[in-house]
Amino acid sequence: MSQVPRAAANVNSVRIPPFHYIHVLDKNTNVTRLEVGPLTFVRKEEESIVTGEKPLKMIVLPPRHYCEITDPVVRDEKSNVQFDKYGQAVIQYGEVEYRFSENYKEPFPLYPAERLTKNPTQLTVVKENVALKIEAVRNFVDKSKKSITAGDRWLFAGPATYYPRVEERIVETVLAQAIPEHNALKLRALQEFTDRTGVLRKTGEEWLVRQSGSYLPDVYEDVIGIIKPEVITDRQAIQLRANQNFTDVYGRERKAGEEWLITLEDTSLHLVDVYEEFVKYVDIVILGKDEYCTVLDPLDPKTNKNRLGSKQMICGETSFFLKPGEALEAGIQKIYVLPEDEALLLRAKEHFIDAKKEEHQPGDRWMVYGPTRFIPPVEVEVLELRRRIPLDKNEGIYVRDTRSGAVRPIVAEAYMLKPHEELWEMEVNEMVEELLKKSSDSRGSRDKTRVIFHRIPFNHAVQVYDYTKRESRVVFGPERVMLGPDEQFTVTVLSGSKPKRPGVIQTIDINLGPDFSTDVVIVETLDHARLRLQLSYNWHFRIDKTSQEDSSKIFNVRDFIGDMCNLMASKVRSAVAAVTFEMFHKSSAKIIRKAIFGVDSAGKILDEFLFPKNSLVITNVDIQNVEPVDEKTQRSLQNSVQQAIERTTKNQEDKARRQAEKMEQEAKGQLDKQAIEDQAKAEIARTKLLQLQAESKGVQNQGKAIAEAKARAEAEEITANSKVKMAELKASADKVEYETKLETTKKKQNGDIEYQKKIAELEISRSKSCLLYTSDAADDLLCVDLGGRRIIKKKKSKI
């Protein structure tokens, strides 16, 4: 910190303590001098103290400290201050001086014009593995007589104490880089220089420091980072690529763009060099006993180049790494283990002689049959694995000969395709496909290579058409029909719904009947009444199943239901149009049957109607419903029906009323008769009741009198008995009391007598043994008086 001159002091004297100082200005000479204590300074008239009234403390540098002085004084070789001719200290204006504690062990003052720009500061201690990057700010010659140019940089490495110089400055603190074991430090040269190993490095050059431990980067070395090693195992290698020509750490020359593998045989830990580029990890290829693989573009060990377009087969058991440029064709494959029912279809890709010395030209096909183990050579292509196809008696496949193109069905045998054969897909139209799916039990899509079998229900017929022979055949159910490769089912499209609409029903099977079809026909009578008739026709086909010509008639009419209903409807319309509504209402069945079946020469209605083109026979017609179409006819029909209903209802009501009146009269007579009989029975019952009441009253009075007499007698008897009993008890009690008193008196008297007797005996015994008073008898108080004489008394006993 610089010391700013204070205002001049005008005190006459100043006491300067030890290690203090002041600056005194001589106004006459304009020279400022230094005064150092201990001193009592007396100011002269022409002098002034420029440092102020109080002296300034000297600068104290503790051990291993320094300070910075700006505009220092000039000193000679012996460190003495130089003064000019006027006695003023010579100042180096614009200069800076570092003063260290080793040179200034004692406190020192500042000369006039000197400024303290940096307070005492501890010297910088540079630790081990740490350095200061120093830059020269001016040209100078160091202690080793080496010329330093401004801008030069160098490191001041520890452990040491750094003494600053005015010619240099600290750019930054550089820390040593810790290089773990098996790691490396990647460096880059900032400019051309010679490193500490004596190698000339060019600007931008990169290299690795592989030695583990602490590394202090040089001033022109830029640390890129720590390079970790790639771990190589027995199951994994690394693939590298050279960025330029160089010799690797293993002493092998590498060219730019070259790729190679580093495996466990080379090292277990590899540091990717600056001229190496990591491509990928390569896993080991392990082949088992039943495995093999084909290597594409294998590496030639002699030329160390890939043989492009070549293949190499490797069989297990073994393991290897794929070299750069190599690849596996279809990966690791299993050796074909063929059982007895399997075979391989092979094709030669180039000229090939197999193990049996058989020659095969490119494009040849042949098969290898099991049981065997087979490894396809590189000249052979495996087209497919074939299995023997087991077929039941109701199963089959379509097989096509690739040489002739002929297709044939194979049914009811276990079949293995030949080399020149393949499965053929049978295509049918979408309608047949949908009908087959509905009739079969399978839910999934149809296997088109399988022979189409169709189950024909009972009393149904199916027509199969062979378009190569241009002929058809009819098969009757119950039967299973097989469709040949050149055959198709005839699909019959029939009318359906009510009234009949064409194209509603699609089917392969035609029901031969008997069956029925229902249609709705609108007709108009002679009096223009429009009616809707619902008619049901019973029909069947009358054919000879043994004759194909007769059987094919079934399919002559594609929509035989629609044609039948249309023809019958036209006949019914013409017949109804010739009669009135009233006549049709009375005999509708006869009119319709006559119109459909016709009549014979005798006028009798026929029993059936035959369609000769397809042998369809109608045997019966049923009128299920007749209802008017227009409102007028409907009202007329309603009135007719209403009147019929009213007449029927009135007749039924009259009949019911007469029956009810008859039943009412009968019921009334029966009721009166029953009332008279009940009244007579009631009078008889009443008479019996009165008799019973009288008898009951007499019995009741008699019983009451008898009971009262018996009660009084029994009461008097009980009272007398009670009195007797009480007298007996009282007498007994008196007796007991008297006896008790007598016994008590007797016992008392006996006790008194016994007591008197005992007293008398005691007195007698005492009187017999009585003597004169002596000291022996002094204690007998009963026989001795106070004079010492024995007293003998005689008492009278009470008897």
Side-chain angles (χ1 to χ4, degrees):
M1 182 183 294
S2 62
Q3 296 187 3
V4 181
R6 304 179 185 181
N10 296 321
V11 296
N12 294 326
S13 63
V14 177
R15 293 181 179 180
I16 305 174
F19 305 114
H20 286 68
Y21 68 95
I22 61 173
H23 292 164
V24 180
L25 173 65
D26 191 335
K27 298 179 180 179
N28 293 331
T29 60
N30 202 23
V31 174
T32 304
R33 70 178 185 275
L34 176 68
E35 295 291 340
V36 181
L39 175 68
T40 299
F41 175 75
V42 178
R43 183 180 67 84
K44 297 179 182 181
E45 184 66 23
E46 69 276 10
E47 294 177 340
S48 65
I49 302 174
V50 297
T51 54
E53 296 179 358
K54 294 183 179 181
L56 300 177
K57 290 184 179 181
M58 293 184 181
I59 298 173
V60 180
L61 290 178
R64 301 182 63 78
H65 282 64
Y66 73 98
C67 66
E68 182 181 277
I69 304 298
T70 304
D71 301 333
V73 297
V74 179
R75 297 177 183 271
D76 58 12
E77 297 178 354
K78 296 182 180 180
S79 300
N80 294 323
V81 179
Q82 299 295 314
F83 296 92
D84 59 10
K85 60 183 180 178
Y86 303 106
Q88 180 74 42
V90 180
I91 304 299
Q92 303 180 51
Y93 290 102
E95 290 291 337
V96 177
E97 178 184 355
Y98 290 110
R99 295 179 182 178
F100 302 97
S101 59
E102 290 83 351
N103 300 328
Y104 294 85
K105 297 181 180 180
E106 297 294 332
F108 63 91
L110 294 178
Y111 283 87
E114 286 186 335
R115 290 179 293 119
L116 179 66
T117 54
K118 189 173 185 179
N119 287 332
T121 306
Q122 189 174 4
L123 292 171
T124 302
V125 177
V126 183
K127 299 180 181 180
E128 188 177 4
N129 296 327
V130 180
L132 299 177
K133 183 182 288 188
I134 307 299
E135 181 181 16
V137 296
R138 66 176 71 172
N139 298 338
F140 70 99
V141 178
D142 61 7
K143 295 180 181 179
S144 62
K145 305 302 181 180
K146 182 180 178 182
S147 179
I148 305 297
T149 305
D152 288 350
R153 291 187 176 186
W154 66 94
L155 290 182
F156 181 83
T161 302
Y162 175 71
Y163 289 85
R165 294 174 59 105
V166 295
E167 299 88 356
E168 60 191 32
R169 68 181 182 91
I170 299 175
V171 178
E172 62 179 345
T173 301
V174 180
L175 301 178
Q177 297 290 331
I179 305 176
E181 189 175 1
H182 305 305
N183 286 246
L185 182 66
K186 190 175 184 179
L187 302 176
R188 180 188 296 116
L190 299 177
Q191 69 179 42
E192 186 175 335
F193 77 105
T194 302
D195 64 9
R196 65 190 63 178
T197 61
V199 179
L200 179 63
R201 303 294 182 183
K202 296 181 180 180
T203 304
E205 180 183 354
E206 295 180 354
W207 69 97
L208 297 181
V209 178
R210 300 173 182 272
Q211 186 177 358
S212 61
S214 298
Y215 181 82
L216 193 62
D218 204 347
V219 66
Y220 297 115
E221 294 176 347
D222 182 24
V223 177
I224 298 177
I226 297 293
I227 303 300
K228 295 183 179 181
E230 299 293 342
V231 180
I232 301 172
T233 64
D234 58 345
R235 290 178 172 269
Q236 191 177 65
I238 59 173
Q239 184 174 334
L240 304 177
R241 181 188 299 118
N243 295 328
Q244 65 181 45
N245 298 340
F246 77 104
T247 303
D248 62 11
V249 294
Y250 308 108
R252 304 187 185 99
E253 291 186 1
R254 305 295 182 185
K255 295 184 179 181
E258 180 185 352
E259 295 185 1
W260 67 97
L261 291 183
I262 302 296
T263 63
L264 190 61
E265 296 178 357
D266 300 318
T267 182
S268 60
L269 297 171
H270 179 77
L271 291 167
V272 180
D273 210 340
V274 292
Y275 302 123
E276 296 175 347
E277 178 185 353
F278 177 81
V279 179
K280 62 179 179 179
Y281 291 104
V282 179
D283 293 327
I284 194 171
V285 179
I286 301 176
L287 298 179
K289 183 178 180 181
D290 296 330
E291 294 177 335
Y292 75 97
C293 66
T294 303
V295 179
L296 302 177
D297 304 331
L299 190 70
D300 191 347
K302 296 180 180 180
T303 61
N304 202 26
K305 294 182 179 180
N306 295 92
R307 294 179 295 171
L308 301 178
S310 300
K311 295 182 180 181
Q312 180 183 357
M313 179 173 291
I314 302 176
C315 302
E317 301 177 11
T318 186
S319 61
F320 63 94
F321 289 100
L322 287 175
K323 304 296 189 297
E326 295 180 342
L328 292 182
E329 183 182 28
I332 299 175
Q333 299 181 358
K334 292 286 186 180
I335 295 176
Y336 290 98
V337 180
L338 302 177
E340 185 179 1
D341 59 342
E342 290 184 353
L344 287 176
L345 178 62
L346 307 178
R347 181 174 61 189
K349 295 187 291 183
E350 56 186 78
H351 184 268
F352 170 67
I353 300 175
D354 60 14
K356 298 179 180 180
K357 304 302 180 180
E358 294 181 2
E359 186 176 358
H360 300 280
Q361 298 298 328
D364 285 353
R365 290 190 177 192
W366 71 99
M367 294 183 69
V368 176
Y369 297 92
T372 186
R373 289 165 55 91
F374 180 74
I375 301 175
V378 294
E379 300 86 358
V380 175
E381 178 185 5
V382 178
L383 296 180
E384 65 175 313
L385 174 65
R386 290 183 172 180
R387 292 181 175 85
R388 184 177 288 111
I389 304 173
L391 300 174
D392 194 12
K393 62 180 180 179
N394 294 325
E395 294 179 330
I397 56 174
Y398 297 108
V399 178
R400 178 177 175 270
D401 192 325
T402 57
R403 296 175 298 185
S404 63
V407 180
R408 60 191 178 95
I410 305 296
V411 181
E413 64 174 291
Y415 187 76
M416 173 70 77
L417 294 174
K418 303 298 189 296
H420 57 276
E421 292 179 341
E422 65 181 4
L423 292 175
W424 182 76
E425 293 185 352
M426 176 70 172
E427 296 290 345
V428 295
N429 59 55
E430 294 182 0
M431 186 182 298
V432 175
E433 195 77 58
E434 190 67 25
L435 294 174
L436 291 175
K437 186 176 180 180
K438 290 180 180 178
S439 63
S440 64
D441 297 332
S442 61
R443 298 181 180 178
S445 59
R446 178 180 66 88
D447 185 358
K448 296 183 180 182
T449 62
R450 293 280 176 162
V451 171
I452 298 176
F453 284 94
H454 178 62
R455 185 184 296 108
I456 305 173
F458 174 76
N459 203 30
H460 284 65
V462 171
Q463 186 181 43
V464 179
Y465 180 75
D466 190 334
Y467 55 83
T468 57
K469 298 179 181 179
R470 296 185 178 181
E471 61 182 24
S472 61
R473 57 190 175 96
V474 179
V475 184
F476 297 95
E479 185 61 84
R480 285 176 64 92
V481 60
M482 181 187 76
L483 203 62
D486 300 325
E487 294 180 334
Q488 290 288 342
F489 289 114
T490 299
V491 179
T492 303
V493 182
L494 302 176
S495 298
S497 185
K498 291 182 291 187
K500 287 291 181 284
R501 292 184 295 107
V504 176
I505 302 172
Q506 297 91 25
T507 181
I508 297 174
D509 311 309
I510 292 184
N511 188 1
L512 300 180
D515 202 350
F516 68 92
S517 297
T518 303
D519 191 16
V520 175
V521 181
I522 297 177
V523 298
E524 185 174 355
T525 62
L526 185 62
D527 51 358
H528 304 293
R530 292 172 56 83
L531 303 174
R532 181 181 289 106
L533 308 180
Q534 183 170 329
L535 306 178
S536 178
Y537 310 107
N538 289 12
W539 55 266
H540 68 273
F541 285 98
R542 182 181 294 164
I543 57 172
D544 183 8
K545 295 183 180 180
T546 60
S547 173
Q548 282 290 330
E549 182 179 359
D550 194 32
S551 300
S552 61
K553 289 183 178 181
I554 302 173
F555 299 91
N556 287 343
V557 180
R558 294 303 178 188
D559 186 5
F560 67 91
I561 296 294
D563 290 354
M564 176 189 69
C565 291
N566 290 336
L567 180 60
M568 297 300 106
S570 64
K571 288 188 174 186
V572 170
R573 289 192 190 98
S574 63
V576 174
V579 298
T580 63
F581 172 74
E582 187 69 24
M583 184 182 296
F584 177 77
H585 184 68
K586 292 179 180 179
S587 55
S588 58
K590 182 178 179 181
I591 295 172
I592 291 175
R593 288 181 61 84
K594 183 178 179 181
I596 291 177
F597 297 115
V599 295
D600 56 8
S601 59
K604 183 181 178 182
I605 298 175
L606 300 177
D607 295 330
E608 61 183 26
F609 180 83
L610 174 66
F611 290 88
K613 189 174 182 178
N614 60 350
S615 300
L616 179 65
V617 179
I618 299 176
T619 58
N620 189 24
V621 59
D622 181 25
I623 305 173
Q624 294 181 342
N625 188 22
V626 178
E627 59 182 13
V629 176
D630 54 356
E631 185 177 356
K632 180 180 179 182
T633 307
Q634 188 174 6
R635 284 200 302 269
S636 177
L637 181 62
Q638 287 179 352
N639 293 333
S640 176
V641 173
Q642 184 68 26
Q643 291 175 4
I645 293 173
E646 288 178 356
R647 287 194 298 270
T648 304
T649 304
K650 187 174 181 180
N651 293 333
Q652 291 178 352
E653 288 178 353
D654 293 341
K655 184 179 180 180
R657 186 174 63 254
R658 289 193 296 271
Q659 186 70 19
E661 289 176 355
K662 179 181 178 182
M663 293 176 64
E664 183 180 0
Q665 292 297 328
E666 291 178 354
K668 187 175 180 181
Q670 190 71 20
L671 183 62
D672 293 341
K673 181 181 178 181
Q674 187 68 31
I676 294 170
E677 291 177 355
D678 291 343
Q679 187 175 3
K681 291 179 181 179
E683 290 296 332
I684 295 171
R686 186 168 179 274
T687 303
K688 291 181 178 179
L689 178 62
L690 292 175
Q691 292 176 357
L692 292 174
Q693 288 178 351
E695 293 176 358
S696 175
K697 189 69 173 175
V699 172
Q700 184 178 2
N701 293 332
Q702 182 180 359
K704 184 177 180 180
I706 294 171
E708 288 177 355
K710 287 182 178 181
R712 285 195 297 270
E714 290 177 355
E716 291 176 356
E717 183 179 1
I718 291 170
T719 301
N721 292 335
S722 298
K723 289 181 179 181
V724 172
K725 190 68 173 176
M726 289 178 63
E728 290 177 354
L729 291 175
K730 186 176 180 181
S732 177
D734 292 341
K735 181 180 180 181
V736 171
E737 184 179 358
Y738 295 152
E739 289 178 353
T740 301
K741 288 182 179 180
L742 179 61
E743 185 69 24
T744 302
T745 303
K746 185 176 180 180
K747 288 182 177 180
K748 184 178 180 180
Q749 290 178 356
N750 290 336
D752 290 341
I753 293 172
E754 186 69 25
Y755 177 73
Q756 293 297 331
K757 184 178 179 181
K758 292 290 185 182
I759 293 299
E761 290 177 354
L762 182 61
E763 289 179 355
I764 293 171
S765 61
R766 287 180 178 177
S767 64
K768 288 181 180 180
S769 58
C770 184
L771 297 176
L772 291 175
Y773 178 77
T774 62
S775 60
D776 298 328
D779 58 350
D780 192 354
L781 299 179
L782 297 176
C783 300
V784 179
D785 65 5
L786 296 175
R789 292 174 297 184
R790 182 174 296 272
I791 302 175
I792 300 172
K793 295 182 178 180
K794 188 175 181 181
K795 295 182 181 181
K796 294 181 180 181
S797 337
K798 295 181 180 182
I799 302 172

